[in-house]
Amino acid sequence: MNRLSESRLFQRFWDIAGAASIRIKVLGIVLGVIFLLGFFITLQLRGALWSTLEHELVHQGDAIALTVAQQTALMARSDNRELMAHLIEEYRLHYSDANHNTIVDYIVIVDNAGNTVVETYAPYVDAQALAESPYHASPGQVIQLTFPWGGVLEHATPLNNELVLRLGLSEQNILNTVNTVTIQIVSITLVMVGIGLVAAFFLTWILTKPILSLVDATKAVAAGDFSQRVPRWANDEIGELASAFNVMTSALEQADRERGEREALREKYIRGVIQAQEEERKRIARELHDSTSQSLTSLLVGLTALENSSESPAQTAQIKDIRQVVSATLEEVHSLAWQLRPSVLDDHGLLEALHRYISDYQRRHNIQVDFVEHGLDERLPLALETGIYRMVQEGLTNIARHAKAQNASVLIERRNGKLRVIIEDDGRGFDPSVVPTGEHNLGLQGIRERAQLFGGKLTIESAPGQGASLFIEIPLEADMEPMQLEQGL
């Protein structure tokens, strides 16, 4: 459980730290190092300085205590307590003035039983606290005491066999000196923090500037702009990365150029094939109409005349049967010629041609088709109309051959500078991620290639058992002349 909690805490910390930018990380590391270094240096210096000053104060206290004890010992023999009190007061004031680096809090002379003989102390010293402080120092010993007014180093020096001098030196000077040095160290640390911030900011700028340039260039490359190059800032690892990136984009640019050339060549071939196909369709439709249809019509007229002039019932019946076959063949020829190249498309436009085609489609395949159009008040260029007609024709043909549908719909819409064609059915559907095989794939590929020739695209939405939808979107350029679209076919 503890390991799981630690792992979660670490993961949480890493999520927060990992989300910070490199600049924030570097600044945080620099500031952390400076603060930790300043903190530990301050602690070490305070401890070392306090120990040194305290050691010096002990030596000073020993010297002062010895001096006072020697001078006071002479008077202690005469037991002149008033003179002793006056003398130790003068010594206290003398060693507490500005010329000495010491502050004498008190001087007390006690007997072997610890009773006070004479004493003197500074005004801020609490006499009661001093009196209640037990005398536990041995002659020649230095102890550290803590009173309400501060810390004291007490020196015990014997005057004679009966009296001992207690001299208390204040640690206030040590505290003031240590605090002053601490403030200086903190000030230096803050200055170092400022310098560290500037240095870290400059360092992170050096580090992140080429990385950000690489990020921007990478986004541009991802958007398809392979002309991006980044400068090599230095000969370090980031410089090597910039050079490798430039080599990569150069290779991508060359590959994209070659792909574009291949695509342009492919579109040229496809355009030529489709144009030749349309021209051949026109020629065959014209031949069927002008030659085959006329011949069948003449044959039908002759059979009608022969039937009318025949006097044999059996012969008349045979002629009638032949005439009906010829009539059906003539209708098939007319239908075939119309499917190859409906003349109504050239004469009356896309909508009329689709209406007639869909009407004939419903009759031949018994599939109900709902046809809707919006925004096509004016005719489109003939090449685009032909392309849309062929795409709708191929889409409905696929439905009749593969979808097993009962209903279908065709929507043609012109809006916001685009032409949208949607062909839907309620058939068995298929998985668009699985490439269809056979005629179905050829039909969809033909629709896609025709859409691409006009700068458009085909999107397929389908699922097994849920029908299929073909979305064709073609941009319409406002300044494009009809002849340009004619050449696009």
Side-chain angles (χ1 to χ4, degrees):
M1 186 66 181
N2 291 335
R3 290 184 177 180
L4 181 60
S5 299
E6 291 175 0
S7 176
R8 290 178 177 175
L9 288 175
F10 178 78
Q11 185 62 41
R12 178 61 178 168
F13 166 76
W14 186 251
D15 290 341
I16 297 174
S21 64
I22 294 178
R23 180 170 296 175
I24 297 299
K25 290 186 179 74
V26 173
L27 290 176
I29 292 172
V30 171
L31 289 179
V33 169
I34 293 176
F35 277 123
L36 287 176
L37 187 62
F39 176 75
F40 286 114
I41 289 177
T42 301
L43 289 181
Q44 291 293 326
L45 284 180
R46 278 182 65 92
L49 184 61
W50 186 282
S51 177
T52 301
L53 293 178
E54 189 177 58
H55 184 70
E56 292 180 357
L57 186 62
V58 168
H59 284 290
Q60 289 177 332
D62 288 340
I64 295 173
L66 182 61
T67 300
V68 175
Q70 288 175 349
Q71 296 298 323
T72 308
L74 297 175
M75 298 179 183
R77 297 173 185 175
S78 61
D79 197 22
N80 190 342
R81 296 188 178 186
E82 182 178 353
L83 186 61
M84 291 171 60
H86 178 72
L87 180 63
I88 61 176
E89 174 68 13
E90 287 185 351
Y91 275 119
R92 186 189 69 77
L93 295 175
H94 173 74
Y95 286 108
S96 298
D97 62 16
N99 296 324
H100 296 82
N101 192 26
T102 55
I103 299 176
V104 179
D105 282 351
Y106 59 86
I107 300 176
V108 180
I109 298 176
V110 297
D111 57 20
N112 291 332
N115 298 318
T116 300
V117 178
V118 292
E119 63 181 358
T120 180
Y121 46 81
Y124 54 80
V125 172
D126 187 347
Q128 183 177 356
L130 179 62
E132 293 176 354
S133 173
Y135 168 64
H136 46 67
S138 301
Q141 183 183 6
V142 180
I143 61 174
Q144 186 176 22
L145 301 175
T146 302
F147 291 101
W149 64 86
V152 173
L153 289 177
E154 182 174 295
H155 298 254
T157 302
L159 298 181
N160 51 41
N161 293 332
E162 298 178 355
L163 300 176
V164 177
L165 183 141
R166 295 174 57 189
L167 184 142
L169 290 181
S170 174
E171 294 182 321
Q172 188 61 42
N173 280 350
I174 297 178
L175 181 62
N176 293 339
T177 302
V178 171
N179 288 339
T180 301
V181 173
T182 301
I183 292 174
Q184 293 175 350
I185 295 175
V186 171
S187 301
I188 293 173
T189 302
L190 293 178
V191 173
M192 292 302 298
V193 167
I195 296 175
L197 282 175
V198 174
F201 183 84
F202 180 71
L203 177 62
T204 54
W205 181 82
I206 293 176
L207 290 175
T208 58
K209 181 65 175 179
I211 294 177
L212 293 177
S213 299
L214 281 169
V215 170
D216 294 338
T218 302
K219 291 179 179 179
V221 170
D225 182 8
F226 301 118
S227 63
Q228 292 292 320
R229 301 293 185 274
V230 293
R232 177 167 179 155
W233 285 65
N235 294 324
D236 54 8
E237 291 84 353
I238 297 179
E240 292 294 330
L241 179 60
S243 298
F245 177 85
N246 292 335
V247 172
M248 179 194 71
T249 53
S250 297
L252 288 175
E253 186 177 24
Q254 179 64 25
D256 184 65
R257 186 183 303 111
E258 294 175 356
R259 183 193 61 81
E261 293 174 354
R262 289 194 301 270
E263 188 67 23
L265 187 61
R266 174 179 170 274
E267 290 184 1
K268 179 180 178 181
Y269 286 147
I270 293 175
R271 187 181 300 114
V273 169
I274 294 178
Q275 187 174 1
Q277 186 184 59
E278 290 297 327
E279 292 296 329
E280 186 65 13
R281 286 172 182 246
K282 286 182 181 179
R283 188 189 67 78
I284 295 175
R286 187 167 53 250
E287 290 291 332
L288 290 175
H289 182 271
D290 296 342
S291 179
T292 306
S293 179
Q294 293 296 329
S295 298
L296 290 175
T297 300
S298 299
L299 179 59
L300 187 61
V301 172
L303 288 173
T304 301
L306 184 60
E307 180 184 3
N308 292 334
S309 63
S310 175
E311 297 178 356
S312 171
Q315 186 180 25
T316 300
Q318 292 177 352
I319 294 173
K320 183 178 181 180
D321 292 339
I322 295 174
R323 183 172 58 81
Q324 289 177 350
V325 171
V326 173
S327 178
T329 304
L330 181 60
E331 290 183 4
E332 288 293 331
V333 169
H334 284 164
S335 177
L336 180 59
W338 189 85
Q339 292 181 37
L340 286 172
R341 180 69 184 187
S343 59
V344 68
L345 181 62
D346 299 322
D347 299 335
H348 300 286
L350 175 64
L351 296 183
E352 185 64 27
L354 286 177
H355 276 294
R356 294 191 185 184
Y357 173 76
I358 290 174
S359 178
D360 180 67
Y361 176 88
Q362 294 179 114
R363 178 181 57 80
R364 287 187 291 109
H365 299 290
N366 194 28
I367 298 176
Q368 183 65 33
V369 180
D370 184 20
F371 178 51
V372 180
E373 60 85 15
H374 293 293
L376 296 178
D377 299 329
E378 298 179 358
R379 286 195 60 176
L380 299 171
L382 181 59
L384 183 56
E385 287 189 339
T386 302
I388 296 299
Y389 179 85
R390 295 301 182 198
M391 284 185 270
V392 173
Q393 186 183 46
E394 190 62 52
L396 291 177
T397 300
N398 272 347
I399 293 174
R401 289 178 179 176
H402 309 289
K404 295 183 180 180
Q406 298 297 321
N407 300 279
S409 65
V410 177
L411 168 66
I412 300 180
E413 178 183 46
R414 182 177 185 174
R415 185 173 60 181
N416 298 329
K418 293 182 179 180
L419 185 68
R420 295 178 179 87
V421 180
I422 303 176
I423 306 171
E424 297 181 313
D425 68 78
D426 61 357
R428 60 181 183 178
F430 61 96
D431 186 356
S433 62
V434 179
V435 179
T437 59
E439 295 181 359
H440 194 189
N441 182 41
L442 292 176
L444 294 177
Q445 187 63 26
I447 296 174
R448 179 175 285 106
E449 289 178 349
R450 285 184 182 272
Q452 290 175 350
L453 288 177
F454 295 102
K457 63 179 180 179
L458 168 66
T459 304
I460 303 173
E461 292 183 2
S462 181
Q466 299 183 16
S469 299
L470 306 183
F471 297 90
I472 304 166
E473 187 174 81
I474 297 174
L476 295 176
E477 299 182 13
D479 57 346
M480 180 176 287
E481 296 294 333
M483 184 57 66
Q484 289 179 284
L485 285 175
E486 293 281 359
Q487 294 172 354
L489 183 62

